Amino acid sequence: MMRKKCIGIIGTGKISQEYVNIFKKIDVEIKIVCARNKKKLHDFCLKNNIKKNTLIISDLLNLNLDGVIVCASPDSSLLISKQLVNFKGKILFEKPVGLNLAQTENINKLYQNKNNFYVALNRRYYHSVVTSKKLMNMSKNRKFISICDQENTIEAKKSGHKNSTIKNWMFANSIHLVDLINFYIKSKVVGVTNIKNIRKNHKLYFSIIKFQNGDIVEFKSFWNKPAPWKINISFDEKFVQLKPIENISYIDKSSREIKKINIDKKDIIFKPGFFRQSEDFKKALQNKKNSLVSLENYLRSVNLTHRIFFN
C-alpha cells in the first residue's frame, strides 16, 4: 500500500486555504505551514487542524516532506526560491516566480538540473480552457486566437500590493493569459508586433504574435479601464468563445447555432482549475506523469510577456 503523501505550505492567504480544502479531499496530508505573521499562522493552523507551524522556511527542509506549495507575495518569490533550492521533494510555486524576467531567469538557473520545480498556473486547468484545446486539436488547420486581458493596478495597490509588484504587474497577473498562448500553441514565435497607448494610469497594450506554423494570436491588455476577460478561437471548422474565461461555447461550420458546454462542477465548488491542478501535483508527488508547468516552460511565457509589454 502506497504511503500517504505529506506536504508543507508557505503562506496563509486565500490561495493556501483553497489548497488545504482540496488536499483534504484527495488524501494528501498538510503536515506543516510556514508564514511570516505569527498570529495569522496560528489562526490558520487552528482553523484547519494542522499541528505544526513555523516562521522559518529552513524548518521545512528538516522534515520528511514529499512536497511544498508556495503561496507567497510576489516580492518574496526570489528569496523563497533561494531558500528552497536544497529541498529534495516537489515544489509547486504560485505565480509569479520572480518579479520580472531577470529574476525568473535567475531562479531558473538555480533549479536548472533539479526537475522538481513546478509553477501553478490554474487557468490552464479550467474546464473551459482544457475543452477548448481539445476542440482546437481536432483541426489541423491554422488557428486565429484573440485574447482580451483586463488589469486594475489601482485596486491592486489599494489591496496592499507593494510598488515593486505594481511596477511588474504584467508578470504578476497578465502572465495568466499570456501563458495560455504558450499552452494553446506549441510552435515557435517568429514575430511580435506591438502597439501601445499609455496615458498616465490608463494603458492599452495591443500585440500581434505570429508563429512558425502559421497560427496568429491577437493579444489586448486594458489597464485601469473596463474590458472583459475573454478568448476567441477561430479555425475552419469552429468558432470557440470563452467569455468569461470560465465559460465556453462554440459555433460549428455547418450551423449558426451557439452551443454551450456545461462547466465541470469542480470549477464551481472550488476555485476554477485548482482541483485538477492539485490532482496533478499529487501525481508529481507519486512520480507519476502529469501536466504541471515546468519552470523552463514558465520561463517561455515570461519571455513572451516581456516581449509584449516592453519591446
Side-chain angles (χ1 to χ4, degrees):
M1 186 176 176
M2 188 177 290
R3 177 179 66 84
K4 186 175 182 177
K5 299 300 179 182
C6 63
I7 63 172
I9 293 182
I10 298 175
T12 57
K14 292 179 181 179
I15 300 300
S16 296
Q17 185 61 59
E18 194 74 28
Y19 279 120
V20 170
N21 296 342
I22 293 170
F23 282 116
K24 284 180 179 178
K25 294 284 185 182
I26 63 174
D27 200 32
V28 173
E29 180 188 357
I30 311 294
K31 193 168 187 177
I32 188 169
V33 179
C34 176
R36 291 181 290 190
N37 187 300
K38 193 172 183 178
K39 185 181 185 308
K40 287 182 179 179
L41 177 60
H42 175 267
D43 292 346
F44 184 88
C45 290
L46 186 65
K47 175 185 176 182
N48 293 291
N49 194 28
I50 298 169
K51 295 177 181 179
K52 292 185 179 181
N53 62 74
T54 180
L55 300 170
I56 305 169
I57 289 177
S58 60
D59 286 348
L60 302 177
L61 277 63
N62 299 323
L63 295 171
N64 187 28
L65 298 176
D66 298 295
V68 167
I69 297 180
V70 182
C71 310
S73 59
D75 58 282
S76 63
S77 61
L78 178 58
L79 177 60
I80 293 173
S81 298
K82 289 179 177 179
Q83 290 175 315
L84 288 175
V85 74
N86 292 318
F87 182 68
K88 302 299 183 185
K90 302 296 194 300
I91 299 168
L92 182 62
F93 208 114
E94 276 290 324
K95 62 82 195 164
V97 181
L99 274 176
N100 50 39
L101 175 58
Q103 286 196 7
T104 306
E105 288 177 333
N106 190 343
I107 295 166
N108 186 57
K109 287 178 183 177
L110 289 173
Y111 287 85
Q112 206 154 26
N113 300 313
K114 293 183 177 294
N115 298 317
N116 69 331
F117 194 116
Y118 304 99
V119 184
L121 290 156
N122 64 303
R123 302 297 189 279
R124 286 190 181 215
Y125 286 90
Y126 279 19
H127 177 249
S128 56
V129 171
V130 172
T131 303
S132 64
K133 187 170 183 181
K134 287 179 181 177
L135 293 174
M136 278 179 61
N137 289 344
M138 291 169 65
S139 172
K140 294 182 179 180
N141 297 310
R142 290 169 59 185
K143 317 297 191 302
F144 176 78
I145 301 175
S146 177
I147 298 177
C148 185
D149 172 47
Q150 196 277 333
E151 303 295 343
N152 192 329
T153 56
I154 296 171
E155 287 301 316
K157 193 168 185 176
K158 287 179 182 177
S159 68
H161 284 286
K162 294 184 177 180
N163 287 335
S164 56
T165 301
I166 300 298
K167 181 182 176 182
N168 294 285
W169 193 249
M170 59 287 295
F171 299 106
N173 216 50
S174 294
I175 185 75
H176 262 311
L177 293 188
V178 176
D179 176 70
L180 289 184
I181 300 172
N182 186 15
F183 174 72
Y184 281 129
I185 303 174
K186 299 304 180 186
S187 183
K188 182 182 177 182
V189 174
V190 293
V192 178
T193 303
N194 297 322
I195 299 172
K196 299 174 186 177
N197 186 336
I198 299 175
R199 294 179 293 109
K200 293 184 179 180
N201 286 324
H202 300 284
K203 303 175 184 180
L204 169 62
Y205 298 90
F206 180 89
S207 298
I208 298 293
I209 303 147
K210 295 183 179 180
F211 293 84
Q212 197 170 54
N213 66 356
D215 292 347
I216 298 173
V217 172
E218 172 193 72
F219 181 85
K220 293 174 286 188
S221 186
F222 299 85
W223 287 40
N224 304 318
K225 55 175 70 181
W229 270 30
K230 69 172 183 177
I231 300 172
N232 293 337
I233 305 168
S234 175
F235 46 99
D236 288 356
E237 296 83 358
K238 282 182 173 60
F239 179 87
V240 183
Q241 184 171 72
L242 285 70
K243 182 185 176 183
I245 296 172
E246 294 85 351
N247 296 332
I248 179 170
S249 60
Y250 66 93
I251 301 173
D252 274 321
K253 184 178 181 180
S254 59
S255 170
R256 295 179 63 88
E257 180 187 355
I258 298 174
K259 300 176 182 179
K260 294 183 178 180
I261 297 175
N262 292 331
I263 303 172
D264 190 307
K265 288 183 179 179
K266 291 173 184 175
D267 281 0
I268 298 172
I269 298 170
F270 302 99
K271 188 175 176 65
F274 264 64
F275 196 92
R276 280 177 289 276
Q277 183 173 257
S278 299
E279 287 181 315
D280 251 6
F281 188 54
K282 181 178 179 180
K283 289 178 184 177
L285 298 176
Q286 297 169 334
N287 294 314
K288 294 181 179 178
K289 186 178 178 181
N290 61 80
S291 299
L292 291 171
V293 183
S294 68
L295 186 52
E296 184 181 6
N297 195 341
Y298 174 73
L299 181 57
R300 287 199 288 270
S301 294
V302 174
N303 267 302
L304 184 54
T305 301
H306 191 271
R307 290 182 72 177
I308 289 170
F309 288 94
F310 290 99
N311 285 5

